[in-house]
Amino acid sequence: MTHRFYRFSTRIERAFARPSRFALTLGVLVAQAISLLLQPSTALAAPSGTLVVCTEGSPAGFDPGQHTTSTDFDASTYTVYNELVQFKRGTLDLEPALATSWDVSADARAYTFHLRKGVKFQTTAWFRPTREFDADDVLFTFNRMLHADDPFRKSYPASFPYFTDLGFDKNIDAIDKVDDYTVRFRLKQPDVIFVRNLAMSFASILSAEYAAKLSATHREADINQLPVGTGPFVFRSYQKDALIRYDGNPDYWRPEDVKLAHLVFSITPDPAARIQKLAGGECQVSVFPRPGDLETVKRNPSLTLISRIGFNVGFVAYNTQHSPLDRLDVRRALDMAIDKQAIIQAVFSGNARLATNPMPPAQWSYDDQLKDAPRDIAKAKALLAQAGFPNGFDLSLWAMPVQRPYNPNAQLMAQLIQQDWAKIGVRAKIVSYEWGEYNRRAKQGGEHDAILYGWSGDNGDPDNWLGTLLGCDAVHGSNVSKWCDKSFDALIDKARATPNVDERTALYRQAQVIFKEQVPYTPIAHSIVSLPVSKRVNGMLLSPLGSHRFDGVSLN
């Protein structure tokens, strides 16, 4: 038995095929409708204008499968590429993209995707496609992540952190090409959120033909530097720490969404400089403002502020594979010493909600019965003494160098935590790296002791907070606590195989209790997210996922 989504065309065709006394009238109406569509007045307006976006940092690359941050995804997924399914702009609702429909087996172990026909890959200075998108591109995209012996991956041994964080490398049994426009994923274990996960950025579809051309000239690494996709914008050039240039895609399969002739990312790490450029008209969108700059934006008659409660969490994680952070009493002491309210006032200017759980309150299955341990310096000192550290200890505290939706000023937050921990004898040395290097070292190397990190939801499912950030499969990826608890993991695995929402909710709430007892990280805040834009910008929507999309956006 299968469940069919977005499959209405056959029903309509049958209705039109039936003999009917209204057939002539229907034919006339259809002819008139076609005639109207062909009139010049109904033609789509040509893309126009150049939108300049002041962004916060340089992407680590342009192959979404290799990366995990919104800096990378804004520069690649939401410009150059498409997934099989995607989230509607500004929402967590799924809609078809490169797949027009999909079937799910009753046991949630087989997912069949029916692919969109007539989709063209982009033409660039380094690649001119000779065919349209088809099943071979889907197979290439996922097989290079699934199989270590895939020829392309053997030549270019990249890592795919999200794919492994989700356990896809273990659970996908095979990907079959049913025909040129049908692909089936076969899973070893049921996964009721598989489709939502494929709407995430790492699942952006690449060109198999382009990959073959790169392999023929031994330039496989260019797939991460010179991207080719099917998305609304064509990548043109990149100057690290300066500019990324795109053009509107003239061949986009949804032409009504391409309203801009050109798109430019002006990479501006300093948030004050971003706001100055926005006010001066040098850019029309400025990402990740400091809370203190919001009033300045509101007072400027040429600017407007788009805001919403963030679907995010900012936290300080403890590397549970490093001594003494492998001891529960030590983690509890560090957690108990942090003054979260002071951080929310100083770092967020009050534009945040104190975080207790590893997911935001808007996420279904959130357990509102869980409470923080009261801040208690004396008890924290006693816990350290009980763990064998009456005089405290030294540790590194990593702080990100860029603003994120969940943390507008990590350096200040680190200083406040450093002061709090000093009160219990813990001496924290603040460490930072360039953003790409920070992520690489945190996920792959695990060199940090404690680290400021955070998350914006990717797919609207609780698994994205619990499995991706805290699961055993993610220890060498996004689980920067390097925490693997078998009882916690078993609950997450069971929830992935359970279609009933009430049963899944109960499992996730049990998992949250374990999290709270074991303290792999201390949740700090759920921020309110704001995006300052010029009043010349039309159609800009703020995503609950923390991303920035420019399809459907225009300038007046």
Side-chain angles (χ1 to χ4, degrees):
M1 177 182 176
T2 61
H3 304 288
R4 181 63 56 90
F5 299 94
Y6 300 101
R7 215 59 166 145
F8 308 115
S9 59
T10 302
R11 214 175 299 167
I12 294 171
E13 287 164 5
R14 286 174 182 165
F16 280 6
R18 289 192 196 103
S20 168
R21 61 193 179 92
F22 298 113
L24 180 59
T25 303
L26 178 61
V28 171
L29 289 173
V30 170
Q32 290 175 342
I34 292 172
S35 177
L36 286 171
L37 288 172
L38 293 176
Q39 293 298 316
S41 61
T42 63
L44 293 172
S48 62
T50 299
L51 179 70
V52 181
V53 183
C54 284
T55 62
E56 83 291 0
S58 295
F62 295 88
D63 174 3
Q66 299 186 46
H67 308 295
T68 61
T69 78
S70 62
T71 303
D72 305 306
F73 296 151
D74 281 357
S76 58
T77 300
Y78 303 112
T79 50
V80 178
Y81 296 104
N82 296 117
E83 303 93 341
L84 292 175
V85 296
Q86 65 186 18
F87 296 105
K88 292 180 182 178
R89 287 198 314 128
T91 77
L92 291 172
D93 299 330
L94 285 178
E95 66 177 0
L98 294 182
T100 57
S101 62
W102 52 92
D103 307 329
V104 184
S105 64
D107 63 358
R109 290 178 56 194
Y111 288 79
T112 304
F113 292 87
H114 305 278
L115 307 182
R116 189 178 299 277
K117 297 179 181 178
V119 175
K120 296 180 180 180
F121 278 98
Q122 299 153 356
T123 296
T124 68
W126 50 90
F127 178 67
R128 181 175 293 276
T130 64
R131 65 167 179 81
E132 295 178 343
F133 158 76
D134 64 20
D136 290 335
D137 303 305
V138 180
L139 265 63
F140 165 72
T141 297
F142 291 100
N143 278 333
R144 73 193 176 114
M145 295 190 270
L146 181 61
H147 300 299
D149 59 352
D150 178 85
F152 191 88
R153 182 168 170 182
K154 286 183 74 174
S155 301
Y156 176 50
S159 63
F160 302 100
Y162 241 134
F163 191 81
T164 54
D165 287 355
L166 293 169
F168 277 14
D169 57 326
K170 297 176 181 177
N171 196 34
I172 295 178
D173 189 33
I175 309 169
D176 305 320
K177 177 181 176 180
V178 179
D179 58 42
D180 284 347
Y181 289 95
T182 311
V183 173
R184 179 175 296 118
F185 290 78
R186 289 187 283 119
L187 309 182
K188 297 174 185 176
Q189 301 296 328
D191 184 352
V192 298
I193 55 174
F194 187 73
V195 175
R196 294 194 76 84
N197 282 335
L198 288 190
M200 291 161 57
S201 295
F202 81 95
S204 298
I205 303 300
L206 280 62
S207 165
E209 183 186 14
Y210 178 46
K213 178 184 176 181
L214 294 177
S215 291
T217 53
H218 307 292
R219 293 169 44 240
E220 288 87 354
D222 280 0
I223 207 163
N224 193 34
Q225 301 301 322
L226 297 171
V228 172
T230 59
F233 296 95
V234 182
F235 174 90
R236 294 305 186 201
S237 64
Y238 171 45
Q239 296 170 264
K240 185 174 172 60
D241 300 328
L243 293 172
I244 313 174
R245 296 184 182 276
Y246 310 86
D247 289 340
N249 183 359
D251 298 319
Y252 192 46
W253 54 271
R254 205 151 75 171
E256 65 274 15
D257 285 348
V258 181
K259 301 179 183 295
L260 298 167
H262 310 286
L263 174 67
V264 176
F265 283 11
S266 177
I267 300 167
T268 311
D270 182 0
R274 291 200 297 273
I275 292 296
Q276 288 171 4
K277 285 184 176 183
L278 181 69
E282 295 180 56
C283 58
Q284 292 78 48
V285 178
S286 178
V287 304
F288 306 137
R290 296 176 303 183
D293 290 329
L294 299 183
E295 285 303 317
T296 300
V297 173
K298 291 176 183 178
R299 289 195 300 267
N300 190 322
S302 67
L303 304 179
T304 189
L305 194 66
I306 307 172
S307 298
R308 70 184 298 165
I309 296 173
F311 196 56
N312 59 43
V313 61
F315 55 82
V316 54
Y318 309 114
N319 190 335
T320 59
Q321 295 183 3
H322 283 193
S323 178
L325 300 175
D326 56 344
R327 305 188 188 190
L328 178 56
D329 281 346
V330 170
R331 299 197 300 273
R332 285 178 172 169
L334 294 173
D335 174 85
M336 195 177 294
I338 296 174
D339 188 343
K340 293 185 185 180
Q341 289 290 3
I343 289 173
I344 286 175
Q345 289 305 315
V347 176
F348 297 88
S349 298
N351 292 294
R353 172 174 173 169
L354 188 146
T356 301
N357 294 17
M359 60 174 70
Q363 177 64 70
W364 63 268
S365 82
Y366 179 89
D367 188 347
D368 57 8
Q369 299 302 307
L370 294 177
K371 306 296 179 186
D372 277 344
R375 185 167 186 260
D376 190 327
I377 297 299
K379 187 172 181 180
K381 285 182 177 179
L383 285 171
L384 286 184
Q386 183 177 306
F389 299 93
N391 300 315
F393 57 89
D394 298 316
L395 86 169
S396 64
L397 171 59
W398 287 25
M400 64 197 80
V402 295
Q403 296 74 41
R404 309 307 299 149
Y406 46 77
N407 192 334
N409 192 337
Q411 297 295 320
L412 176 57
M413 186 182 291
Q415 292 166 15
L416 294 171
I417 292 174
Q418 181 187 51
Q419 293 168 16
D420 288 338
W421 286 348
K423 295 173 183 175
I424 61 173
V426 173
R427 297 166 293 277
K429 178 183 178 182
I430 298 173
V431 176
S432 192
Y433 295 94
E434 180 272 332
W435 181 226
E437 187 69 5
Y438 187 94
N439 273 289
R440 187 190 68 78
R441 287 173 177 256
K443 293 174 181 178
Q444 298 176 19
E447 305 165 39
H448 58 279
D449 293 324
I451 183 170
L452 290 180
Y453 214 70
W455 203 253
S456 293
D458 285 306
N459 64 6
D461 195 274
D463 181 87
N464 189 235
W465 309 93
L466 302 177
T468 308
L469 289 182
L470 294 162
C472 294
D473 285 334
V475 162
H476 299 293
S478 298
N479 182 348
V480 293
S481 299
K482 311 302 176 186
W483 178 69
C484 176
D485 184 287
K486 295 300 183 183
S487 59
F488 178 94
D489 227 45
L491 291 168
I492 303 307
D493 287 345
K494 187 175 181 181
R496 285 177 183 160
T498 302
N500 183 279
V501 172
D502 290 338
E503 293 175 15
R504 289 185 74 203
T505 295
L507 293 168
Y508 289 136
R509 287 184 173 170
Q510 291 178 54
Q512 289 171 75
V513 170
I514 294 174
F515 165 86
K516 205 63 184 168
E517 290 172 346
Q518 295 297 312
V519 203
Y521 70 70
T522 295
I524 302 291
H526 307 295
S527 72
I528 295 172
V529 178
S530 297
L531 183 68
V533 301
S534 165
K535 287 186 176 178
R536 293 183 56 211
V537 176
N538 302 306
M540 189 76 203
L541 299 178
L542 197 55
S543 169
L545 304 174
S547 57
H548 302 98
R549 286 174 57 175
F550 303 100
D551 51 318
V553 175
S554 64
L555 281 173
N556 57 31

